[in-house]
Amino acid sequence: MRELLPLLLIFWLLQGCNTDKASQEKQQEKQAKTSFADTTSVRHAKGFSIRYFDRYKIVSIKNTDSSARQDQYILLEKGATRPEEFPDAQVIEIPLKSMVAMSSMHIGLLEFLEAENTLTGLGSLQYVYSPAVNAMIKAGKVAEVGRDNGLNQEKLVEMHPDLVMTIGTPGAKKDSYAILKQAGIPVLANSEWIETTPLARMEWVKIAAALLNKEKLVNEKFDAIEKEYKNLSALAASAKSKPAVISGLNTKDVWFLPNGENYMAQFLKDAGADYHWGGTKGGGSLSLNFESVYPFALNAEYWVNVGFDKSDTRKSVLAMDSRYADFKAYKSGKMYSYNNRVNAQGSNDFFESGTINPHKVLADLIRIFHPELLPEHQLVYYKQLP
């Protein structure tokens, strides 16, 4: 028996450790339980995450200054006690009842979630496509608050929205909204532009859903669009050929083209096109001179993203540079741009609702490059230049 005592002691110690470990795991599991009936998960986006706890959510957004730092936000149910674990995080009471947006793209997020009535202010009222929001503006329900150096912080403090959603850009001054934060108005930086795929960009709508407690709706709609996008991409992959394509225009001796990891390059790839710069690294734009693009533009079968104005024509494009007449796509008239939905005030819906409708954008591009695959599809965002 004496010989067994050391073994028994070790067994008891191990059992104690296992019990402590099990207790810790049980406690962590308890902490991870959420009081929210519906949750959502992030599958494509790399720039943010959402975690759910008892009566609050944690949204972490990757900082755009290239550091590993993240900005955190506590989405706290009204009346709930702020958790102590995140002392540097901004608190946003949910669900939102009012929001001021600095970008028209944010209007698309609210439209997707059937929550346009949440909008009470915009950085600028000039570039809005949404008929519903334009009607709200006309009725005096949405105020203009300015942006950047022209931001009217005093007006915002007076309005006191539940949230101001800004554009997260590199080098943005963190103290630009100090007065708002002192007044208890949270400011959230939306940086969907950092994503490299259309579905990842669209997924930022899930942050808006978390703010509005609309996870059930966003899951249903996002999953349906994701499935449609993947089906369309598979359809394009079945095409027998991949036509060569160029994008953009030469502007002031610089031709800006999407880099290989730019979401537009992904669109072209998923639509079954051969884009010469599709293998380059980086998610921004390439800045090339005309001579570098010319050899590839000369024989490209299609030319997309040509111009922005709804009145652009082949003739007006040629007036910018006579060398365009050499391009195969110019000669054949296979020139297209995303200016099919531009209203009288010059607002382009491609930049407003296009982000949350990537399946429609992809269908447009497939119809352009492979008309035989989608013969019944009517172009939504794109149109052929006359």
Side-chain angles (χ1 to χ4, degrees):
M1 182 66 180
R2 184 175 295 175
E3 290 80 1
L4 292 175
L5 285 176
L7 293 174
L8 289 171
L9 182 60
I10 292 172
F11 174 78
W12 288 331
L13 288 171
L14 288 173
Q15 281 292 96
C17 290
N18 289 336
T19 301
D20 290 342
K21 185 178 180 181
S23 177
Q24 289 173 1
E25 289 176 350
K26 190 173 182 180
Q27 182 65 23
Q28 289 174 353
E29 182 183 352
K30 182 179 178 182
Q31 290 175 350
K33 284 182 178 178
T34 175
S35 57
F36 297 97
D38 301 296
T39 62
T40 190
S41 59
V42 181
R43 295 194 291 269
H44 301 276
K46 305 298 182 185
F48 76 95
S49 65
I50 305 174
R51 290 179 287 162
Y52 291 83
F53 299 88
D54 185 26
R55 300 198 69 184
Y56 70 96
K57 312 166 190 178
I58 295 295
V59 171
S60 301
I61 296 179
K62 185 179 180 181
N63 201 278
T64 55
D65 62 4
S66 75
S67 68
R69 189 167 58 84
Q70 292 187 330
D71 295 323
Q72 289 191 322
Y73 305 86
I74 302 172
L75 279 50
L76 189 67
E77 281 191 320
K78 286 181 171 62
T81 303
R82 173 182 175 143
E84 298 177 357
E85 291 86 347
F86 308 94
D88 297 326
Q90 284 192 71
V91 172
I92 304 171
E93 286 195 342
I94 57 171
L96 293 184
K97 299 299 181 185
S98 60
M99 188 182 98
V100 169
M102 289 295 137
S103 168
S104 62
M105 192 283 290
H106 304 155
I107 295 174
L109 303 181
L110 295 177
E111 270 196 325
F112 188 87
L113 299 169
E114 302 165 13
E116 298 99 318
N117 62 337
T118 308
L119 192 68
T120 57
L122 281 166
S124 172
L125 303 181
Q126 184 177 359
Y127 298 110
V128 176
Y129 184 87
S130 166
V133 173
N134 274 316
M136 290 168 61
I137 292 170
K138 190 174 180 179
K141 295 179 180 179
V142 179
E144 185 170 68
V145 299
R147 63 177 106 198
D148 301 324
N149 294 331
L151 183 68
N152 191 334
Q153 299 203 46
E154 289 75 14
K155 185 172 185 176
L156 276 167
V157 171
E158 184 181 342
M159 292 170 61
H160 214 283
D162 291 342
L163 176 70
V164 173
M165 184 174 284
T166 68
I167 308 168
T169 54
K173 295 180 180 179
K174 294 297 180 181
D175 58 352
S176 298
Y177 301 95
I179 293 176
L180 301 186
K181 292 177 182 178
Q182 289 170 9
I185 302 172
V187 178
L188 183 146
N190 185 316
S191 307
E192 99 291 335
W193 60 269
I194 69 171
E195 304 294 346
T196 59
T197 70
L199 286 175
R201 279 198 164 202
M202 177 197 176
E203 200 158 31
W204 282 71
V205 73
K206 291 183 176 179
I207 291 182
L211 290 163
L212 294 161
N213 283 349
K214 291 205 170 192
E215 281 88 348
K216 182 179 181 181
L217 178 62
V218 84
N219 288 340
E220 290 172 355
K221 296 183 75 171
F222 185 91
D223 291 354
I225 290 175
E226 178 189 50
K227 182 179 180 180
E228 178 68 10
Y229 189 97
K230 289 181 177 180
N231 287 341
L232 285 167
S233 182
L235 178 66
S238 71
K240 295 179 181 179
S241 62
K242 291 185 177 182
V245 61
I246 56 168
S247 175
L249 282 167
N250 183 50
T251 307
K252 295 181 180 179
D253 297 324
V254 179
W255 195 309
F256 294 102
L257 299 112
N259 229 323
E261 293 174 341
N262 183 295
Y263 83 107
M264 182 53 70
Q266 188 66 47
F267 264 134
L268 298 177
K269 177 183 177 181
D270 291 341
D274 177 17
Y275 176 56
H276 176 74
W277 296 273
T280 57
K281 299 297 181 183
S285 297
L286 292 166
S287 304
L288 303 179
N289 57 37
F290 190 97
E291 289 70 23
S292 299
V293 179
Y294 186 81
F296 306 100
L298 200 60
N299 297 306
E301 189 173 345
Y302 291 92
W303 187 2
V304 299
N305 307 333
V306 188
F308 304 96
D309 195 282
K310 66 177 181 178
S311 61
D312 281 334
T313 64
R314 292 172 64 234
K315 185 177 180 180
S316 67
V317 170
L318 184 62
M320 299 178 193
D321 196 314
S322 61
R323 292 174 292 182
Y324 291 149
D326 299 336
F327 295 177
K328 180 180 180 179
Y330 182 87
K331 294 175 181 177
S332 68
K334 292 181 178 179
M335 297 167 61
Y336 296 82
S337 197
Y338 40 57
N339 55 8
N340 195 34
R341 292 168 65 87
V342 179
N343 62 18
Q345 59 204 45
S347 305
N348 191 331
D349 195 33
F350 180 84
F351 301 106
E352 191 166 299
S353 73
T355 300
I356 45 87
N357 286 306
H359 59 312
K360 294 181 181 180
V361 175
L362 182 60
D364 277 5
L365 291 169
I366 293 174
R367 179 65 178 82
I368 292 168
F369 303 142
H370 304 285
E372 75 284 358
L373 296 179
L374 292 176
E376 302 301 320
H377 177 74
Q378 298 295 315
L379 297 182
V380 179
Y381 295 103
Y382 277 82
K383 76 172 184 181
Q384 188 171 10
L385 267 62

